[in-house]
Amino acid sequence: MVTTGALERLRETNRRAITGLLAGEGPMSRADLARGTGLSRTTISSLVTDLIGTGDVVETADRGRPHKGGSGRPPHLVALSTPLGAVAGVDIGHGHLRVAVADRSGRVLAEDTDSLDVDEHGVDALDRAARMVRAGLAAAGVERADLRAVGMCVPAPLDRRSARIRTGIMPGWRHLSPGDELHRRLDVPVFADNDANLGALAELSHGAARGIADVLYVKVASGLGAGIVLGGRLHRGATGIAGEIGHVQVGEDGQVCRCGNRGCLETEASAPRLLAVLQPAYDEQLSVRSVLALDAAGDAGVRRVLSDAGRSVGRALADLCNSLNPEAIVLGGSLGTSPSLATGVRAAVDRYAQPDTAAAVRVVAGELGARAEVLGAVSLAIARVAAS
Ligand SMILES: [Zn+2]
């Protein structure tokens, strides 16, 4: 027999699942909450009524997407009541440090960016990141004691068990545990994840993947990686390194990759590689920014090279689409907004994925640009605080 106490404990667990989801992903409809928690619509409605009663959750003036296939007005969204305290997001990129201080509903209160030298040792960069967080708190008028947690983005796969960086472009970071290092400096819990996972989380919470349950997010930048969202949750895998599509082999005897293999996707489609391929044909010094401008202006060489890169990426994604049947592929990273890259990805998915799978997936550019990782880091911190 189920006792009243056991039932109440179950409801409490389920209420915490709802607040955890809202904290991590922002305002959601009851239908999305049902999908995200795996609970029934009826259970969700009853628990949300409880939470509105206790003042933990409010119904927002915003409305979500219309019901699938249904008519009438879209549903109201529910959101966490503005909770106390703040969180920070720290994004360590290949060439930048970006820090955001946000309230626990995810509203950014202060944000700053600084450049980062790839040769700078990780320890020095983390000293700087800690100073930027303190400055951000001061700028936002938040007391140091009110900082609850920090989410952190690192541009390399993190081993989930050791929390150390395994490999990466930046030699001064290898074998470092950036989360522990930052924790020592700020004395609050620090949660670290890689850039592709946090980009996916950000697009899911605030961007192009909002309200979508099954998404492949691909970051095409200095490196190449994917964040996999299944059933509205980030799929990190057994040891936290799911989505490493940069090292899928696309050429048996291709260029040697930094991972030691040959012909990895990253050796064909990362930003430095594409710039190197294009540079000999142009007089001016090319950059990602100028290449994107040339792409938008219809430059034939740039369009060709970017769409070929998109095809290579799309070839690898087609296999993932066949396995996972996602609703959207979101292209992020510095090259994510390139129309030619998207065209190439679309063409390869149509060619190599099973037709029904290809027809089910949209290919879209990310909406958050260079801020995706720091916003994802904020979302991660909020979710972990809510879950604790
Ligand atoms: Zn590789």
Side-chain angles (χ1 to χ4, degrees):
M1 195 185 114
V2 182
T3 64
T4 317
L7 269 180
E8 189 38 48
R9 274 198 299 282
L10 180 64
R11 282 181 79 81
E12 180 52 34
T13 304
N14 289 340
R15 279 194 290 266
R16 234 178 287 137
I18 292 173
T19 51
L21 207 57
L22 290 173
E25 298 176 14
M28 293 171 85
S29 68
R30 288 171 176 80
D32 286 338
L33 280 171
R35 192 158 45 194
T37 57
L39 297 168
S40 75
R41 288 286 295 275
T42 320
T43 306
I44 288 291
S45 288
S46 152
L47 293 169
V48 165
T49 304
D50 283 2
L51 287 165
I52 289 174
T54 55
D56 291 303
V57 157
V58 291
E59 197 159 59
T60 71
D62 293 343
R63 288 173 182 272
R65 294 170 303 156
H67 291 295
K68 251 186 192 151
S71 54
R73 283 157 72 78
H76 272 295
L77 302 180
V78 291
L80 283 186
S81 317
T82 308
L84 296 172
V87 297
V90 172
D91 169 29
I92 296 160
H94 289 110
H96 68 266
L97 273 175
R98 190 185 290 263
V99 167
V101 170
D103 68 22
R104 286 178 56 194
S105 70
R107 191 165 56 97
V108 173
L109 306 170
E111 190 171 335
D112 193 19
T113 312
D114 202 356
S115 62
L116 178 70
D117 186 337
V118 281
D119 293 326
E120 182 172 355
H121 197 275
V123 166
D124 299 328
L126 289 162
D127 281 339
R128 236 163 11 111
R131 282 199 299 275
M132 286 170 73
V133 170
R134 291 189 203 105
L137 289 171
V142 174
E143 297 288 332
R144 286 277 298 277
D146 287 336
L147 181 66
R148 296 285 186 269
V150 175
M152 184 181 194
C153 175
V154 293
L158 271 184
D159 187 289
R160 198 171 186 171
R161 286 172 294 210
S162 68
R164 288 178 189 280
I165 292 182
R166 294 151 63 93
T167 55
I169 288 169
M170 301 185 291
W173 291 76
R174 193 170 287 198
H175 306 308
L176 205 66
S177 177
D180 290 347
E181 293 283 336
L182 198 60
H183 168 68
R184 265 202 288 283
R185 287 161 177 77
L186 292 169
D187 201 28
V188 291
V190 177
F191 305 99
D193 207 333
N194 72 55
D195 49 354
N197 280 350
L198 291 179
L201 204 55
E203 292 290 350
L204 188 68
S205 312
H206 312 285
R210 210 188 150 105
I212 302 179
D214 301 292
V215 184
L216 300 177
Y217 171 85
V218 190
K219 182 176 180 184
V220 186
S222 308
L224 206 134
I228 300 171
V229 175
L230 299 175
R233 314 302 291 260
L234 197 57
H235 174 78
R236 292 187 172 86
T239 59
I241 53 173
E244 278 299 303
I245 63 158
H247 303 281
V248 168
Q249 225 195 24
V250 292
E252 187 75 10
D253 51 1
Q255 289 212 336
V256 176
C257 178
R258 61 191 166 96
C259 75
N261 212 331
R262 290 187 73 172
C264 292
L265 181 56
E266 192 171 284
T267 65
E268 291 203 359
S270 61
R273 170 67 179 155
L274 298 177
L275 290 178
V277 168
L278 285 163
Q279 189 60 67
Y282 295 82
D283 292 332
E284 79 266 30
Q285 183 65 40
L286 294 178
S287 64
V288 167
R289 187 190 291 253
S290 63
V291 163
L292 286 172
L294 287 164
D295 186 28
D299 180 90
V302 165
R303 288 177 92 165
R304 172 63 195 264
V305 167
L306 288 179
S307 70
D308 284 352
R311 280 171 187 269
S312 298
V313 175
R315 175 71 188 86
L317 289 175
D319 291 340
L320 268 181
C321 286
N322 279 341
S323 305
L324 303 174
N325 185 205
E327 190 180 332
I329 290 171
V330 177
L331 300 174
S334 54
L335 285 171
T337 52
S338 155
S340 299
L341 188 85
T343 304
V345 169
R346 178 78 257 174
V349 168
D350 287 340
R351 184 178 171 98
Y352 296 109
Q354 193 246 66
D356 289 344
T357 308
V361 69
R362 290 185 288 134
V363 176
V364 296
E367 291 174 1
L368 303 172
R371 295 179 74 218
E373 288 78 13
V374 84
L375 294 177
V378 164
S379 294
L380 177 68
I382 291 169
R384 292 295 162 87
V385 170
S388 64

